[in-house]
């Protein structure tokens, strides 16, 4: 779609203003899309050439062993070199890379690219001195402070594989991820701030490490100043090590193969344990660089704010790597949107002159509740583009965001993508006409289809399984240590097509509308949780014999967790027990996994082979038809 399509689009459409068109880097969307479509490798090679390679690739795309695609084969590179070192040779050396504000608003820290290089090098030297080498896994379990960015980049710089675990997860989630990755080092903090309270990160690490023998060292950053136990020989205060000569501000950047792993990030799938999604230095770098450049039109004078936590893929791709690859100035805020007052974010936009603001529907819905007076207290005129990610945005929230925050001047980029895709896949660009609730069309070089159960494309307007047809550079390479599961999960339902796990429909203008997950993944405030994880936390409670969990619509969170439990003999249902079980899940997995409600059951709907039919539970809860129940036990 271009700014003025020949045929008017159907439905509620927002066309870009002349101002937006004038500022946009890509004015002719169709032309670039056509080029990428007919020359996929040519398109991506041209993007890759804008970055620095120690040695150029021999082949852009190697698809000889599908679906284990390889990109920029033979190329030598390091993403950290392109995030930092590359800029030090230019005027960007003294440009701000990172601006940070504390939750209480009293602390501000800024880092130029020059300073970022020093901080990352110091951390890199320290973890090297702890014996971390190329290919070793490092678990990072921290709050939103600049040191989490240093830690990720320090790993990348020396070729270690980082595995960031969201600081809102608790002991079971952390322990499972450390164990699966066989990390040798954990980087954490004494604690982090969350709505004025302290989250005891180090104590959770201590708990988890009781069952993780692979970990040799724990590096602890002091943030809250709480007393925490330090195990001699294993635990080290970061500030102590910074004072040693090993913590020099110079550290060589390791030369990596384009296909060498950069990080793993655990995400919930339909069954079993969370999966370690693996991304690489070369392709991931090119994908995140290119998408941020085009979709959010990042320019040198911009101030970019992605509100995501680095513990999720959005934080990896668009808070840490993408902005630095583009030489942008990025803002990071330690806290949440409503503490101490619901204008905390608007205050930050005004204070730092944010020009592009990328957030999640759940946050927008949460802030809408407090009314327009809070944003009205602040000058938001610096904004030029807005963005949304994580779940479908309901049109009411879209319109509020557009009108109250963007003052009807700022297009909203509703970006659909996943941990697995690494980068935006279905997304508008500033010149593309918008429809509230639709991510519009696939990114350059991509094609998407909506299929029925048998693999036939459905008619426009009908719901089906969303698949992607063409490889892209930042696609996951595998599930770490489990290539069979990679094949099975993403490539087996429709051979040769990438199964997203989402259902969607396409309208007559070719716009895609995401409906939701088709698997047992629940999106709570945009965060991805697996029913299996919630259920195993529940059955670890002595009162619970069996458990099932589903997501049901929730006004703010999008989906809330509802758990159905069968008690062991000798336990009686009661509100107190329900409350205890909710708390049990929260303390094992993390507060985001706390069920809205516990429903006590005499029986759970199961197939004859004993699989719980969550679909039936969901239908019953919503008062919908139960669908095909021919496999239901009795
Ligand atoms: C799932 C991936 C990648 C960003 C954060 C989430 C849902 C994501 C959108 C959107 C509708 C969306 C999908 C997807 N989703 N963005 N703009 N519109 N749905 O990453 O945790 O891997 O979750 O989030 O269901 O499959 P994730």
């Amino acid at each position: 779609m271009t700014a003025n399509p020949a045929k008017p689009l159907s439905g509620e459409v927002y066309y870009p203003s002349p101002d937006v068109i004038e500022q946009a880097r890509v004015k002719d969307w169709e032309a670039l899309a056509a080029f990428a479509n007919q020359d996929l490798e040519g398109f991506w090679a041209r993007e890759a050439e804008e970055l620095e390679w120690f040695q150029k690739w021999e082949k852009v795309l190697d698809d000889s062993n599908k679906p284990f695609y390889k990109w920029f084969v033979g190329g030598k590179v390091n993403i950290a070199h392109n995030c930092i070192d590359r800029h030090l040779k230019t005027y960007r050396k003294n440009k701000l890379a990172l601006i940070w504000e504390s939750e209480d608003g009293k602390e501000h820290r800024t880092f130029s690219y020059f300073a970022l290089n020093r901080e990352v090098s110091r951390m890199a030297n320290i973890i090297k001195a702890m014996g971390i080498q190329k290919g070793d896994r490092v678990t990072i379990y921290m709050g939103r402070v600049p040191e989490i960015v240093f830690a990720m980049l320090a790993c990348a710089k020396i070729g270690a594989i980082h595995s960031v675990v969201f600081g809102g997860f608790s002991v079971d989630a952390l322990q499972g991820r450390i164990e699966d990755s066989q990390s040798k080092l954990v980087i954490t903090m004494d604690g982090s701030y969350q709505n004025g309270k302290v989250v005891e990160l180090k104590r959770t690490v201590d708990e988890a490490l009781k069952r993780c023998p692979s970990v040799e060292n724990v590096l602890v950053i002091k943030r809250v100043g709480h007393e925490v136990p330090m195990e001699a020989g294993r635990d080290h205060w970061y500030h102590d090590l910074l004072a040693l000569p090993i913590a020099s501000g110079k550290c060589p950047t390791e030369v990596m193969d384009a296909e060498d792993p950069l990080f793993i990030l655990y995400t919930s799938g339909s069954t079993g344990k969370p999966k370690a999604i693996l991304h690489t230095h070369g392709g991931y770098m090119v994908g995140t660089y290119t998408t941020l450049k085009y979709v959010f039109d990042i320019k040198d004078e911009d101030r970019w704010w992605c509100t995501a936590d680095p513990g999720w893929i959005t934080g990896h791709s668009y808070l840490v790597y993408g902005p630095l690859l583009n030489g942008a100035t990025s803002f990071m805020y330690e806290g949440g949107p409503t503490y101490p007052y619901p204008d905390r974010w608007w205050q930050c936009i005004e204070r730092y002159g944010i020009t592009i603001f990328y957030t999640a529907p759940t946050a927008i819905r949460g802030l809408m509740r407090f009314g327009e007076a809070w944003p009205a207290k602040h000058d938001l005129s610096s904004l030029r583009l807005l963005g949304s990610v994580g779940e479908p945005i309901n049109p009411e929230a879209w319109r509020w965001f557009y009108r109250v925050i963007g003052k009807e001047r700022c297009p909203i980029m509703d970006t659909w993508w996943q941990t697995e895709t690494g980068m935006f896949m279905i997304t508008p660009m500033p010149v593309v006409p918008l429809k509230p609730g639709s991510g519009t069309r696939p990114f350059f070089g991509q094609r998407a289809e909506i299929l029925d159960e048998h693999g036939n494309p459905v008619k426009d307007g009908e719901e089906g399984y969303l698949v992607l047809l063409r490889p892209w550079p930042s696609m996951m390479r595998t599930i770490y240590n489990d290539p069979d599961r990679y094949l099975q999960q993403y490539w087996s339902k429709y051979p040769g097509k990438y199964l997203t796990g989402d259902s969607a429909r396409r309208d007559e203008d070719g716009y895609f509308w995401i409906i939701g997950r088709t698997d047992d993944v629940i999106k709570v405030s945009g965060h991805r949780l697996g029913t299996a994880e919630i259920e195993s936390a529940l059955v670890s409670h002595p009162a619970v014999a069996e458990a099932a969990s589903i997501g049901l619509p929730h006004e703010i969170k999008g989906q809330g967790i509802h758990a159905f439990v069968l008690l062991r003999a000798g336990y009686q249902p009661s509100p107190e027990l329900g409350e205890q079980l909710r708390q049990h899940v929260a303390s094992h997995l993390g507060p985001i996994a706390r069920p809205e409600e516990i429903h006590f059951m005499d029986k759970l709907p199961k197939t004859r082979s004993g699989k719980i039919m969550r679909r039936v539970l969901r239908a019953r809860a919503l008062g919908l038809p139960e669908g095909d129940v021919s496999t239901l036990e009795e």
Side-chain angles (χ1 to χ4, degrees):
M1 290 297 129
T2 44
N4 297 300
K7 167 173 101 60
L9 301 177
S10 63
E12 182 182 358
V13 185
Y14 294 73
Y15 291 93
S17 67
D19 250 19
V20 166
I21 296 171
E22 195 191 306
Q23 284 188 39
R25 168 184 266 117
V26 176
K27 300 211 173 23
D28 193 347
W29 188 93
E30 293 290 356
L32 204 45
F35 164 59
N37 264 334
Q38 53 99 18
D39 185 4
L40 183 69
E41 293 185 43
F43 171 80
W44 285 112
R46 207 175 71 179
E47 297 303 324
E49 273 158 16
E50 294 183 4
L51 297 162
E52 279 185 4
W53 297 74
F54 302 128
Q55 184 184 304
K56 199 174 165 170
W57 56 89
E58 282 144 25
K59 205 168 178 350
V60 177
L61 170 63
D62 175 357
D63 58 2
S64 57
N65 183 27
K66 292 174 196 166
F68 295 94
Y69 293 91
K70 291 182 181 161
W71 283 84
F72 307 107
V73 182
K76 301 277 184 203
V77 75
N78 188 311
I79 195 171
H81 174 87
N82 278 291
C83 285
I84 306 173
D85 312 18
R86 178 168 79 97
H87 305 306
L88 302 182
K89 295 175 283 186
T90 72
Y91 64 92
R92 284 184 181 142
K93 177 178 179 179
N94 295 317
K95 178 180 171 174
L96 289 187
L98 187 65
I99 304 173
W100 175 85
E101 182 169 306
S102 64
E103 182 176 79
D104 64 10
K106 291 185 185 141
E107 284 170 80
H108 312 259
R109 297 167 74 190
T110 55
F111 301 89
S112 63
Y113 277 88
F114 177 79
L116 181 66
N117 180 53
R118 181 187 62 228
E119 298 306 322
V120 170
S121 298
R122 298 178 87 189
M123 177 112 46
N125 281 321
I126 286 173
I127 67 177
K128 262 210 294 206
M130 291 176 159
I132 298 300
Q133 294 175 349
K134 196 172 184 163
D136 286 342
R137 275 79 58 214
V138 174
T139 293
I140 299 174
Y141 181 64
M142 299 174 63
R144 268 195 305 278
V145 294
E147 282 77 8
I148 190 169
V149 180
F150 308 159
M152 291 166 72
L153 290 163
C155 289
K157 190 174 175 67
I158 66 169
I161 304 171
H162 60 69
S163 167
V164 181
V165 178
F166 174 53
F169 275 133
S170 199
V171 60
D172 290 4
L174 176 62
Q175 185 251 325
R177 287 157 173 78
I178 295 175
E179 194 173 79
D180 186 81
S181 63
Q182 291 290 298
S183 290
K184 285 167 72 175
L185 168 68
V186 176
I187 307 179
T188 189
M189 303 159 61
D190 54 350
S192 64
Y193 290 111
Q194 173 80 49
N195 298 326
K197 292 196 211 75
V198 170
V199 181
E200 302 273 359
L201 296 173
K202 173 64 166 63
R203 284 179 195 276
T204 303
V205 170
D206 289 341
E207 232 3 81
L209 291 195
K210 288 182 183 159
R211 289 170 285 159
C212 296
S214 66
V215 174
E216 296 163 4
N217 290 290
V218 179
L219 185 57
V220 190
I221 286 117
K222 189 183 220 112
R223 171 69 188 120
V224 298
H226 277 199
E227 178 103 19
V228 292
M230 297 289 280
E231 191 178 301
R234 188 194 72 180
D235 302 349
H236 316 271
W237 284 112
Y238 186 53
H239 58 262
D240 286 345
L241 301 181
L242 275 180
L244 302 178
I246 49 149
S248 121
K250 288 200 168 55
C251 174
T253 302
E254 195 74 31
V255 174
M256 307 296 285
D257 280 331
E259 282 291 311
D260 276 338
L262 167 64
F263 66 82
I264 52 179
L265 182 60
Y266 287 84
T267 190
S268 301
S270 37
T271 50
K273 290 190 304 180
K275 306 169 285 189
I277 306 300
L278 185 124
H279 284 287
T280 58
H281 271 260
Y284 176 80
M285 169 182 85
V286 175
T288 52
Y289 166 74
T290 306
T291 44
L292 188 60
K293 181 182 74 174
Y294 286 128
V295 174
F296 282 102
D297 199 27
I298 288 260
K299 304 210 179 83
D300 242 333
E301 57 276 22
D302 275 312
R303 285 203 164 177
W304 161 257
W305 182 9
C306 163
T307 64
D309 191 278
W312 307 97
I313 191 68
T314 310
H316 280 60
S317 298
Y318 299 112
L319 192 149
V320 180
Y321 290 112
L324 296 174
L325 288 167
N326 278 281
T329 298
S330 216
F331 173 65
M332 180 179 190
Y333 166 56
E334 184 179 36
T338 54
Y339 179 85
Y341 299 106
D343 64 341
R344 202 57 188 89
W345 278 4
W346 319 132
Q347 192 179 41
C348 287
I349 289 176
E350 176 173 21
R351 185 174 289 166
Y352 298 101
I354 302 300
T355 58
I356 316 177
F357 179 62
Y358 184 40
T359 190
T362 184
I364 298 165
R365 287 191 298 265
L367 289 163
M368 264 170 84
R369 255 196 330 184
F370 293 99
E372 295 177 27
W374 291 101
K377 287 172 45 169
H378 299 278
D379 176 6
L380 305 179
S381 62
S382 58
L383 290 172
R384 69 180 187 94
L385 285 174
L386 302 173
S388 169
V389 64
E391 53 174 320
I393 179 165
N394 46 311
E396 308 75 65
W398 195 100
R399 290 185 207 109
W400 189 86
F401 198 29
Y402 186 73
R403 181 175 58 80
V404 179
I405 306 307
K407 314 292 181 204
E408 300 180 346
R409 287 186 301 104
C410 310
I412 301 175
M413 304 298 109
D414 178 358
T415 60
W416 175 89
W417 58 297
Q418 311 178 298
T419 307
E420 292 88 339
T421 70
M423 66 179 215
F424 309 143
M425 300 307 293
I426 296 178
T427 176
M429 270 176 234
V431 296
V432 171
L434 305 171
K435 301 189 189 187
S438 169
T440 76
R441 305 210 303 187
F443 186 72
F444 299 140
Q446 191 49 256
R447 282 174 53 206
E449 248 177 11
I450 298 172
L451 305 179
D452 68 16
E453 203 56 60
H454 311 290
N456 305 311
V458 302
K459 289 204 213 70
D460 279 349
E462 284 176 15
E463 178 174 353
Y465 295 93
L466 178 68
V467 296
L468 301 172
L469 301 187
R470 308 186 78 186
W472 63 100
S474 69
M475 61 200 300
M476 70 182 291
R477 294 303 190 265
T478 189
I479 294 177
Y480 185 67
N481 282 338
D482 202 350
D484 291 341
R485 196 168 168 204
Y486 168 66
L487 289 174
Q488 200 274 326
Q489 188 100 46
Y490 301 101
W491 301 95
S492 68
K493 188 171 172 81
Y494 307 114
K497 299 179 177 179
Y498 170 84
L499 182 72
T500 63
D502 280 358
S503 64
R505 57 188 181 82
R506 185 169 49 198
D507 70 16
E508 70 238 48
D509 298 318
Y511 276 42
F512 285 80
W513 300 76
I514 306 296
I515 296 163
R517 299 288 307 188
T518 57
D519 51 10
D520 290 315
V521 167
I522 307 180
K523 279 254 145 182
V524 184
S525 301
H527 298 148
R528 189 163 155 180
L529 292 167
T531 50
E533 289 165 275
I534 299 159
E535 291 157 11
S536 73
L538 280 166
V539 296
S540 75
H541 190 281
V544 178
E546 283 187 78
S549 59
I550 59 169
L552 291 178
H554 184 284
E555 210 186 321
I556 307 282
K557 300 178 184 176
Q559 284 189 304
I561 299 168
H562 288 250
F564 299 80
V565 302
L566 220 117
L567 294 178
R568 284 183 194 284
Y571 289 91
Q572 290 306 317
S574 71
E576 295 72 41
L577 182 57
E579 191 44 44
Q580 233 185 64
L581 294 177
R582 293 176 66 229
Q583 184 49 39
H584 181 80
V585 176
S587 63
H588 278 243
L589 274 183
I592 53 165
R594 186 193 307 270
E596 298 300 316
E597 222 175 308
I598 304 281
H599 307 261
F600 296 103
M601 309 285 282
D602 299 327
K603 193 154 49 164
L604 292 170
K606 284 188 190 165
T607 62
R608 269 173 232 118
S609 57
K611 273 174 71 181
I612 295 175
M613 294 181 84
R614 298 188 188 82
R615 179 171 63 76
V616 172
L617 285 171
R618 200 176 304 119
R620 285 180 190 165
L622 295 171
L624 294 172
E626 289 181 16
D628 179 7
V629 287
S630 56
T631 56
L632 198 63
E633 213 182 22
E634 83 224 41

